[in-house]
Amino acid sequence: MSETQVVFTLTAKCMDCYRCLKVCPVKAIKMKDGQAQVDPNLCIACGTCVRECPQKAKAYLSGVESAKRAIESGSAVAMVAPSFAAFYDKWERLRFIGALRRLGFKLVEETAEHAYDVSMNVKTIAGNAKRKHICTACPAFTQFAEKYREDAVELLTPVVSPMIQHANEIFMKYSGMMKPVFIGPCIAKKKEALKYPQLLEAVLTFEEIEKMFEEKGIELKNCEESFFDGGVKGHARWYPLGGGLLKTAYGDDISAVKTCVPEGFTEIEDALESVIESDEGIIVEPLFCKGGCVKGPGGRKDVNFYVAKKRLAEYIESAPVNGEAGFKPVMKAEFLFKSAKGADITEAEIEKMLEKTGKGNPAQRLNCGACGYESCREKAIAVIRGMAEPEMCMPVMRRLAEQRTDRIIETSPNGIVIVDREMKIIKMNAAFGAMFRCAGRQGAHVSDVIDPLPFEKLASETEDMIQETAAHPRAGITCHQIFYRMKEENHYVGIFVDLTRLTNTDKRLAELKEKTINQAKQLLEHQLKMAQDMALYLGENTAKSEELLHRLVVAAGGKDENRK
């Protein structure tokens, strides 16, 4: 059964650039008819393609309408990710909370309040890292593990993320009567929320909440300052940055525990390979976005990353902290491996596809990555699985295009010649060789074959293109000819259309025309002489004959001198 589509393509904007395919860490992009489609069964909703698409052709599942319905019910609760402080300046933060209340949220709470409980539960499970553990706060990572890394799934800590724990606390506290709406920079949270439809009404990105403010005409400068409902313990506001979960759990004792905090897909892959092969205990806190949640694809794009980090650090240092000790147990999470890789492809199938796509010779497997895949082999596998098109290979398509061009030139009935800056012939087709009886004369000076003047004019840059009709006495032909410059290569091209047969035909028609007129005149003179001798007998017939012959002369283009 197909999964819900969280990330998708706006086909009208997709320009067939393969950018999304190049950056997608799990290659969940299917190319069909030049359009990049997102396969929901392969996609982990990390949002990398949304952030990287230069045409803004990637979009994600909107939570706006669901959030509006929750607000209209009068019982909506805003659950705000701690990363909010990275996207708003100091004077805006409390006004942002006020803006949410003006929008209609009955309660506005900080999800960091429950991040503390999540961290402490992870610490309880992992202890001093005698075994290997992988934290599960990042939904993009957990979805990646469940689809692509079976060896990592068994190491995941069975603890829900702060968002799910927060929603569950609201559900329990208000007996399901309130409607939680999470607000953060993460698109993967939308996919995570689909697992818990009974807990969350909607998940919004900061982009979406800004649009809702705009629709209602809410500007932060006009909003009153307000404070979050509830309080945050410990270092939980560090969650948006790398190591935030572990810092919250272990505090100043973090140095006594062996940890690993990979950020971004490449670091995560490297860390997993190292951790899984090792027998040592360690706690891994992966963040799929390089730079942490502050770099989430649903954050505000108008805020510089380093400015965002500075703002967040400033907020963490200045925001009030609940000093109460103790923590609550959290919901248990269950993670199952459901492979998204598909059936295995045999070596024979791969080699056959490489041959079919013009890569049978290993020397032609450039592994250039222009198609979006790291190697020609990976691309061949994708073609077999229906995820890629053979035409995506740029070097092959260029080679085929060059072959087609060469074929067109070689089979053209018109003569084509290319000369270099020194006026030497570097290429000619068969038709040119036949026209000027110079087949095999590559390397010869063009003046040995034809008049070089048009090429010399191009070389002097006095003209960019020349069109003319000229006779070539040595070859016995007349041609309409076009000359132009290939600027980048500094070569000159001549195209010759043989008009000799047409010219000869016109000449013969003119000769026939003149001969017909002369014969008509002679016949008319003879007829008139006979008419004079036989006037009585041929009077009427002569008049008719004279008129007929007159029309013949005129039709042939002549002038009847016997008529005034």
Side-chain angles (χ1 to χ4, degrees):
M1 185 173 68
S2 181
E3 296 183 24
T4 301
Q5 189 97 38
V6 175
V7 179
F8 54 91
T9 299
L10 302 174
T11 55
K13 292 185 177 182
C14 183
M15 300 300 288
D16 192 20
C17 69
Y18 305 147
R19 176 65 179 166
C20 57
L21 179 56
K22 291 175 184 176
V23 300
C24 179
V26 295
K27 297 295 180 266
I29 306 297
K30 178 179 181 179
M31 298 302 301
K32 185 176 181 181
D33 299 327
Q35 290 284 310
Q37 303 173 357
V38 181
D39 187 329
N41 295 319
L42 303 180
C43 179
I44 58 175
C46 64
T48 304
C49 60
V50 176
R51 181 173 53 235
E52 296 291 336
C53 178
Q55 307 301 328
K56 308 303 178 188
K58 289 292 181 290
Y60 50 83
L61 185 67
S62 174
V64 171
E65 293 305 317
S66 296
K68 286 180 179 179
R69 288 193 293 270
I71 291 171
E72 289 169 1
S73 73
S75 55
V77 180
M79 301 162 44
V80 182
S83 56
F84 91 97
F87 303 111
Y88 296 95
D89 208 348
K90 186 175 182 179
W91 70 270
E92 295 176 308
R93 291 172 199 148
L94 297 181
R95 294 173 186 267
F96 173 74
I97 301 170
L100 292 175
R101 296 191 191 280
R102 180 179 290 190
L103 195 60
F105 285 101
K106 189 171 184 178
L107 296 173
V108 181
E109 299 181 353
E110 199 170 2
T111 296
E113 179 179 348
H114 303 278
Y116 179 81
D117 293 331
V118 169
S119 286
M120 298 310 293
N121 276 262
V122 170
K123 181 179 180 181
T124 300
I125 294 170
N128 292 324
K130 299 299 182 182
R131 296 188 299 110
K132 292 180 281 189
H133 301 274
I134 302 177
C135 301
T136 56
C138 176
F141 172 76
T142 57
Q143 287 156 34
F144 166 68
E146 286 186 297
K147 289 187 176 185
Y148 298 97
R149 293 301 299 254
E150 185 175 11
D151 52 0
V153 170
E154 60 188 29
L155 302 180
L156 298 178
T157 54
V159 177
V160 295
S161 70
M163 178 186 77
I164 300 303
Q165 180 58 26
H166 189 178
N168 186 57
E169 286 289 332
I170 293 172
F171 183 86
M172 299 296 290
K173 184 176 181 179
Y174 298 101
S175 302
M177 300 303 293
M178 302 300 284
K179 299 182 181 299
V181 176
F182 180 77
I183 304 168
C186 182
I187 293 173
K189 288 291 185 186
K190 292 175 178 282
K191 197 173 184 75
E192 180 187 20
L194 295 174
K195 294 182 179 180
Y196 304 90
Q198 75 282 7
L199 295 182
L200 281 150
E201 290 295 317
V203 171
L204 299 174
T205 62
F206 287 114
E207 284 183 322
E208 289 175 308
I209 199 67
E210 284 291 326
K211 289 178 182 177
M212 292 180 71
F213 287 159
E214 187 177 346
E215 285 180 8
K216 292 292 185 179
I218 298 174
E219 296 183 38
L220 297 189
K221 64 182 181 181
N222 298 325
C223 293
E224 294 181 357
E225 293 184 350
S226 185
F227 295 90
F228 285 115
D229 299 300
V232 176
K233 297 179 183 179
H235 300 288
R237 291 191 177 97
W238 282 101
Y239 252 74
L241 299 175
L245 184 154
L246 294 174
K247 184 178 180 66
T248 304
Y250 292 91
D252 296 335
D253 297 330
I254 188 69
S255 59
V257 182
K258 188 172 183 179
T259 62
C260 176
V261 185
E263 296 180 14
F265 178 68
T266 301
E267 286 188 16
I268 287 173
E269 283 278 77
D270 291 344
L272 288 179
E273 293 303 319
S274 176
V275 168
I276 289 169
E277 290 178 4
S278 173
D279 294 328
E280 295 182 355
I282 191 171
I283 307 176
V284 182
E285 183 189 341
L287 289 175
F288 222 85
C289 291
K290 183 74 173 176
C293 303
V294 174
K295 286 284 285 183
R300 290 176 60 185
K301 304 297 188 296
D302 58 337
V303 180
N304 178 280
F305 171 61
Y306 294 98
V307 171
K309 284 184 67 175
K310 181 180 178 182
R311 287 177 176 177
L312 182 59
E314 180 184 82
Y315 172 67
I316 292 170
E317 294 299 326
S318 62
V321 176
N322 185 340
E324 293 182 14
F327 61 91
K328 299 177 182 179
V330 299
M331 284 181 68
K332 184 177 180 180
E334 184 178 11
F335 300 102
L336 301 173
F337 180 69
K338 303 177 289 292
S339 178
K341 291 184 177 180
D344 291 335
I345 307 296
T346 66
E347 283 298 320
E349 290 176 305
I350 295 171
E351 287 298 323
K352 184 177 179 181
M353 182 55 67
L354 286 167
E355 181 71 35
K356 184 178 179 181
T357 54
K359 297 297 183 76
N361 184 347
Q364 294 175 327
R365 301 171 193 176
L366 304 181
N367 299 326
C368 64
C371 63
Y373 291 93
E374 291 186 4
S375 68
C376 297
R377 176 187 171 84
E378 283 188 22
K379 191 251 184 175
I381 293 172
V383 173
I384 295 170
R385 287 180 170 157
M387 294 297 292
E389 297 175 310
E391 297 80 10
M392 290 165 57
C393 181
M394 301 299 180
V396 168
M397 295 309 295
R398 183 170 56 197
R399 188 166 69 246
L400 290 175
E402 289 171 351
Q403 290 173 355
R404 291 191 192 102
T405 301
D406 289 343
R407 180 65 179 160
I408 290 170
I409 291 173
E410 287 303 320
T411 59
S412 173
N414 301 319
I416 301 173
V417 64
I418 303 174
V419 303
D420 61 16
R421 185 74 179 178
E422 284 71 40
M423 298 293 119
K424 291 184 178 180
I425 297 173
I426 58 176
K427 187 176 181 63
M428 70 172 76
N429 68 350
F432 182 85
M435 282 181 182
F436 297 97
R437 305 183 186 93
C438 62
R441 296 290 302 277
Q442 280 89 344
H445 197 280
V446 70
S447 62
D448 294 343
V449 179
I450 58 174
D451 182 1
L453 183 59
F455 292 109
E456 291 171 349
K457 287 182 178 179
L458 293 176
S460 66
E461 299 186 356
T462 56
E463 297 185 56
D464 290 328
M465 187 174 73
I466 299 170
Q467 290 195 60
E468 61 184 16
T469 299
H472 296 272
R474 279 191 288 178
I477 59 175
T478 299
C479 295
H480 179 70
Q481 47 204 37
I482 302 171
F483 303 89
Y484 65 91
R485 181 189 301 110
M486 297 170 66
K487 292 183 179 180
E488 292 185 6
E489 295 83 357
N490 209 16
H491 292 161
Y492 310 99
V493 181
I495 302 173
F496 301 81
V497 182
D498 189 353
L499 302 179
T500 307
R501 183 177 298 176
L502 180 60
T503 303
N504 290 340
T505 299
D506 289 343
K507 185 177 180 180
R508 286 197 296 271
L509 284 173
E511 291 173 350
L512 179 61
K513 181 177 177 181
E514 184 178 357
K515 184 177 180 180
T516 301
I517 292 170
N518 290 334
Q519 288 177 344
K521 286 180 179 179
Q522 291 174 8
L523 180 59
L524 180 58
E525 290 173 358
H526 178 69
Q527 192 77 349
L528 287 173
K529 188 176 184 303
M530 288 182 65
Q532 290 172 356
D533 295 337
M534 303 174 67
L536 293 176
Y537 180 73
L538 296 174
E540 185 177 348
N541 288 336
T542 299
K544 292 181 179 179
S545 296
E546 183 178 353
E547 180 63 26
L548 180 62
L549 289 170
H550 166 70
R551 290 180 181 276
L552 178 60
V553 171
V554 173
K559 182 178 180 182
D560 189 350
E561 296 177 355
N562 293 302
R563 283 205 174 189
K564 294 182 180 180

